[in-house]
Amino acid sequence: MASFVIGKDRIPAGSRKTVDLPFSVLSNHTPMTLPVHVVHGRKAGPTLFLSAAVHGDEILGVEIIRRVLRTPALDRITGTLLAVPIVNAYGFINHSRYLPDRRDLNRSFPGSGGGSLAAQLADMFMREVVMRSDIGIDLHTAAAHRTNLPQIRTSANNPKTLELAEAFGAPVILKSPLRDGSLRKSAYEAGVDVLLYEAGEALRFDELSIRVGVKGILRVMKRLGMIAGKNSSASKIKPVVSRSSFWMRAPESGILRLFKASGDSVAAGEIVGIVTDPFGDVEIEIPASEDGIIIGRTNLPTVNQGDAIAHIARVPKHREAQDRVGQMEEELGGDPLFDEDEII
């Protein structure tokens, strides 16, 4: 292939390089860049982008991309991989979800070259990364004090992304609507499909979520014809597919005790937890309103009335879905890929 040109750098076929795209300076005159690691194959093929830390405190995806970049299979890649482990460096440095002006980068796309700091960063990422790609995988976690079961979110009526979501092999596929200002929606409108991976919690590493993410990316790359090898082989267990979800909320303020973990199934009417006052005089049971499987939950034991406490995906045969999630976790735990020192 011809060299891949990004910014002022030219990456020859069969090579790789980290390119720092100049963006701004901090108030103390420290330069800020958008770093992109380019792996450019010798043979023509798709261009895939990987992004993480769009929300600066969602650091789990940074580790996923680091491990992917150390995978030996990339030495013989077909096509081009654009890896951006830290999109929102401002939030990453400050352990914050947001930009310094409190804007949410994932509500600022497609951005504007003359807008706010968030809009300008979104605009650069769209121009330099998204618009240069055929497909993308955007890595996220739950917000602070919440955790998500590993899951892929994709559009309801897009067979191409659904096929890749199934190849990824996360325990759950959730068909979710596109949100205004999000990277996924702006990329879609620009003709680039994006898989959204949600797993774990902000500011924490979770080994299972990392393993699912690494393995999933390699599987997608294999499905796209970018890599080969047994480490990207498909899962023997099909993901659970959900068309919609809902949040259970605290009926009163108080001390929360949840009886269910992420990945557990719930039946309509089943007690998921209780809220009590600090003295134990009042106990309010929280029943599930519908059947489903828990794909996210709060980690905080103190709640206010109306706080989201559990995210439930509506799935057929919820008990069977719980078993399937457990089987996938066991499969990932015994995968020889994660015994290799060059990966971990």
Side-chain angles (χ1 to χ4, degrees):
M1 285 200 296
S3 297
F4 188 89
V5 179
I6 181 169
K8 296 182 179 180
D9 289 83
R10 184 180 297 272
I11 296 87
S15 64
R16 57 196 295 174
K17 182 178 182 180
T18 299
V19 176
D20 287 305
L21 300 174
F23 175 64
S24 179
V25 294
L26 297 179
S27 54
N28 65 353
H29 203 63
T30 300
M32 295 293 285
T33 66
L34 179 67
V36 183
H37 189 83
V38 182
V39 185
H40 190 44
R42 295 184 181 278
K43 297 180 181 179
T47 298
L48 168 70
F49 80 80
L50 306 176
S51 56
V54 169
H55 293 132
D57 60 352
E58 297 182 1
I59 64 173
L60 187 140
V62 180
E63 174 65 7
I64 290 174
I65 293 179
R66 185 192 72 83
R67 294 192 191 183
V68 168
L69 290 177
R70 291 172 63 86
T71 304
L74 295 190
D75 295 340
R76 299 174 298 279
I77 189 173
T78 295
T80 305
L81 177 66
L82 305 179
V84 190
I86 304 171
V87 180
N88 177 5
Y90 299 90
F92 183 82
I93 292 169
N94 292 300
H95 301 167
S96 170
R97 178 182 180 90
Y98 304 107
L99 274 296
D101 58 3
R102 294 291 297 172
R103 281 182 167 85
D104 185 333
L105 181 58
N106 209 30
R107 297 294 179 269
S108 302
F109 287 94
S112 166
S116 66
L117 183 69
Q120 292 184 44
L121 180 55
D123 175 69
M124 170 178 275
F125 188 77
M126 286 292 295
R127 287 186 291 102
E128 296 289 352
V129 178
V130 176
M131 302 296 289
R132 314 285 297 280
S133 305
D134 300 300
I135 190 80
I137 302 176
D138 189 28
L139 308 174
H140 286 262
T141 73
H145 307 306
R146 294 180 186 170
T147 187
N148 279 337
L149 180 76
Q151 60 197 260
I152 284 286
R153 298 185 183 179
T154 184
S155 304
N157 299 313
N158 191 328
K160 178 181 177 182
T161 55
L162 181 57
E163 177 188 346
L164 294 177
E166 290 174 345
F168 191 102
V172 174
I173 297 173
L174 178 61
K175 297 181 180 180
S176 62
L178 298 169
R179 292 189 175 184
D180 291 339
S182 68
L183 168 59
R184 188 160 67 104
K185 182 173 183 179
S186 295
Y188 174 78
E189 291 174 344
V192 180
D193 291 317
V194 175
L195 297 178
L196 178 64
Y197 178 62
E198 285 273 3
E201 61 179 307
L203 297 175
R204 298 289 185 273
F205 278 0
D206 165 19
E207 186 62 26
L208 174 65
S209 296
I210 292 170
R211 291 183 176 205
V212 174
V214 174
K215 189 74 172 181
I217 289 170
L218 296 179
R219 286 169 172 163
V220 169
M221 293 182 72
K222 184 174 183 178
R223 179 63 62 91
L224 293 171
M226 299 179 71
I227 62 172
K230 64 179 181 179
N231 287 336
S232 51
S233 58
S235 172
K236 298 178 182 178
I237 306 158
K238 288 188 177 181
V240 175
V241 179
S242 171
R243 292 187 174 274
S244 61
S245 64
F246 64 95
W247 279 95
M248 295 183 63
R249 297 187 178 276
E252 297 283 349
S253 301
I255 310 301
L256 172 70
R257 289 172 55 207
L258 277 178
F259 304 146
K260 296 282 188 175
S262 292
D264 287 349
S265 65
V266 296
E270 184 178 1
I271 303 304
V272 175
I274 61 172
V275 173
T276 72
D277 67 3
F279 309 103
D281 295 331
V282 177
E283 287 192 355
I284 302 173
E285 295 181 336
I286 310 171
S289 59
E290 301 179 48
D291 296 347
I293 187 169
I294 297 177
I295 59 172
R297 52 158 289 170
T298 182
N299 290 328
L300 285 176
T302 57
V303 294
N304 291 305
Q305 181 176 315
D307 281 354
I309 60 172
H311 191 192
I312 313 294
R314 298 180 177 95
V315 296
K317 301 180 180 178
H318 58 285
R319 300 296 186 197
E320 179 183 310
Q322 174 181 304
D323 293 340
R324 212 185 306 174
V325 169
Q327 290 168 2
M328 294 190 83
E329 291 176 347
E330 291 178 7
E331 181 183 66
L332 264 296
D335 196 317
L337 167 66
F338 302 104
D339 294 329
E340 299 177 9
D341 290 340
E342 67 268 25
I343 303 298
I344 300 294

